[in-house]
Amino acid sequence: MNKPTPITMKDIARELGVSVATVSRALKDNPRISEAQREKIKAFAREHNFYPNILAENLRKCRLQPTKIIGVIVPQINHFYFSSILSGIEDEATARGYMVAVAQSNEQYDEEVRICDRFLLNRCCGIIVSQAKNTQRYDHFQKMINNNLPLVFYDRICTGLNTSRVVVDDYMGAFNAVNHLIETGCRRIAFFGTAMNLEISKNRYNGYRDSLLKHGITPDETLHVLCDNRSDAEAIVPQMLDGDNPPDAFFAINDDTAIGILYSAKRMGRRIPEDVSICGFTNGERAIACDPMLTTVEQRGHKLGTEAVDILIDKVEGIIPAEKVEKRVVRTRLIIRGTTR
């Protein structure tokens, strides 16, 4: 199925029987064009998803060569993992002669949509994106595809669209982490994760579950907790550890959650790792700043970022055909430190 070709001002002029100059002036709210005509032209442009090439227009005015700009959408810039990915993106993009424009969705679908519209409006040469937690509609991403804009997902991928993506091996990372916990004597292992609408959550939970089954341990759904941040972890852990059949280990979907578990358990007088073992997932700077230092799964964010940029630029430059869906997996590794036996 062929992608629709993005509409141009010439197309609008032809359809409405006016000149290209009239269309251009109307879209800029030039008073030389009547209000009725301006509204008619703008309504037609909106209906057909027209985005004026602002960058090209500005560059024509100042007679500069076009700048190659990649749009990057990140859920949270202050998260170590995403900042390490951005570092990889920036390093590789710069090495290949491209600039990077970064926008933060703050885990909000509506903001993600607005960012996509801004990137389209400013004619970025391609977009690299990790979707927000609550994104469940994908029309804004499909709009990019319809406008022939190369799109690469990283970390949190959009399963509703068959697009290029780079992910870490979440399943094996979780499987190996839980396998380590079991082999060091743990049997009641809690999983602190996030909602299952995200592929990373499903993959890490499945790795956790399959590792238990491999060792003949029946998964206990009471040990599967929706929690992906430190403050919630600190509130939940005391209830679990004071219960009749408490966990002897925790596997958390990220390091912040694992550190929340660690400090909550220590405040209750539990010895780490003699009484409770803890494993995280990221290997950020805080993993070595806690006491004891955190056993965790290293995600290699910088590598993921460079891979995502390579795919995008190869598509922009025609090295990878536009219609080819490129899928790459970055391997994880378990970093064993003081929170496990």
Side-chain angles (χ1 to χ4, degrees):
M1 181 173 162
N2 293 328
K3 300 173 188 173
T5 302
I7 194 170
T8 66
M9 281 197 284
K10 287 183 180 179
D11 297 324
I12 298 174
R14 184 178 62 253
E15 291 294 328
L16 298 181
V18 297
S19 69
V20 173
T22 297
V23 173
S24 177
R25 291 180 182 128
L27 293 174
K28 296 174 185 174
D29 279 324
N30 190 312
R32 290 175 60 185
I33 310 300
S34 70
E35 184 176 351
Q37 183 77 299
R38 293 201 305 267
E39 288 306 314
K40 179 180 178 181
I41 290 170
K42 287 194 286 186
F44 186 91
R46 285 194 300 270
E47 182 182 346
H48 293 83
N49 293 319
F50 171 75
Y51 292 87
N53 194 338
I54 291 175
L55 280 181
E57 183 177 339
N58 290 339
L59 291 170
R60 278 197 301 272
K61 289 177 182 176
C62 60
R63 300 181 182 276
L64 295 174
Q65 291 297 315
T67 301
K68 298 181 286 187
I69 299 176
I70 297 168
V72 180
I73 303 177
V74 59
Q76 289 181 313
I77 291 175
N78 64 353
H79 192 293
F80 171 83
Y81 180 52
F82 290 125
S83 65
S84 66
I85 293 171
L86 283 176
S87 177
I89 289 172
E90 179 73 30
D91 288 348
E92 188 65 13
T94 300
R96 296 190 64 174
Y98 286 72
M99 297 179 66
V100 175
V102 180
Q104 181 175 219
S105 70
N106 279 315
E107 302 287 13
Q108 298 300 314
Y109 164 79
D110 291 340
E111 182 59 24
E112 188 177 84
V113 172
R114 284 191 287 271
I115 293 168
C116 286
D117 282 341
R118 289 201 299 271
F119 282 162
L120 269 173
L121 184 66
N122 288 283
R123 298 284 175 155
C124 289
C125 65
I127 308 296
I128 299 174
V129 57
S130 180
Q131 72 176 48
K133 286 181 184 176
N134 65 351
T135 295
Q136 297 187 37
R137 300 193 304 276
Y138 311 119
D139 292 351
H140 53 307
F141 296 138
Q142 184 62 56
K143 186 189 293 184
M144 292 182 171
I145 296 170
N146 292 346
N147 279 271
N148 300 317
L149 195 69
L151 182 63
V152 177
F153 282 89
Y154 68 93
D155 190 52
R156 301 181 194 163
I157 64 173
C158 175
T159 56
L161 299 171
N162 188 26
T163 53
S164 295
R165 74 278 307 265
V166 183
V167 296
V168 299
D169 195 346
D170 292 297
Y171 175 87
M172 284 308 301
F175 184 93
N176 291 333
V178 176
N179 190 66
H180 167 67
L181 292 170
I182 295 170
E183 289 182 344
T184 53
C186 303
R187 287 296 177 270
R188 282 188 57 76
I189 304 169
F191 174 75
F192 277 35
T194 190
M196 289 296 182
N197 64 302
L198 295 174
E199 280 298 295
I200 62 169
S201 303
K202 294 177 188 175
N203 291 335
R204 291 180 196 178
Y205 175 74
N206 287 337
Y208 156 83
R209 183 177 182 277
D210 287 353
S211 187
L212 294 177
L213 292 173
K214 173 194 170 187
H215 290 275
I217 301 172
T218 301
D220 182 346
E221 286 305 310
T222 65
L223 296 178
H224 179 196
V225 180
L226 288 181
C227 174
D228 65 352
N229 62 78
R230 176 172 177 166
S231 60
D232 287 348
E234 290 187 13
I236 292 169
V237 167
Q239 304 168 35
M240 298 184 72
L241 290 180
D242 278 341
D244 294 334
N245 194 11
D248 58 8
F250 292 84
F251 172 57
I253 198 165
N254 58 46
D255 284 357
D256 281 349
T257 304
I259 291 169
I261 295 167
L262 169 62
Y263 280 96
S264 187
K266 286 175 64 177
R267 279 198 299 268
M268 296 178 69
R270 301 301 197 271
R271 296 172 302 161
I272 311 297
E274 292 85 358
D275 299 328
V276 179
S277 289
I278 302 164
C279 181
F281 206 115
T282 300
N283 196 33
E285 293 175 351
R286 278 174 279 191
I288 57 173
C290 55
D291 181 27
M293 290 190 289
L294 184 68
T295 292
T296 186
V297 178
E298 185 177 50
Q299 288 182 274
R300 302 173 65 204
H302 190 277
K303 172 67 172 174
L304 188 146
T306 62
E307 291 286 341
V309 168
D310 275 338
I311 293 173
L312 187 77
I313 294 177
D314 283 353
K315 279 184 168 287
V316 169
E317 297 181 352
I319 299 169
I320 296 177
E323 67 278 4
K324 186 178 188 299
V325 174
E326 187 80 5
K327 299 179 181 180
R328 297 183 190 175
V329 177
V330 175
R331 303 297 177 190
T332 59
R333 63 174 180 148
L334 182 65
I335 308 298
I336 298 172
R337 298 194 181 102
T339 57
T340 56
R341 303 167 194 167

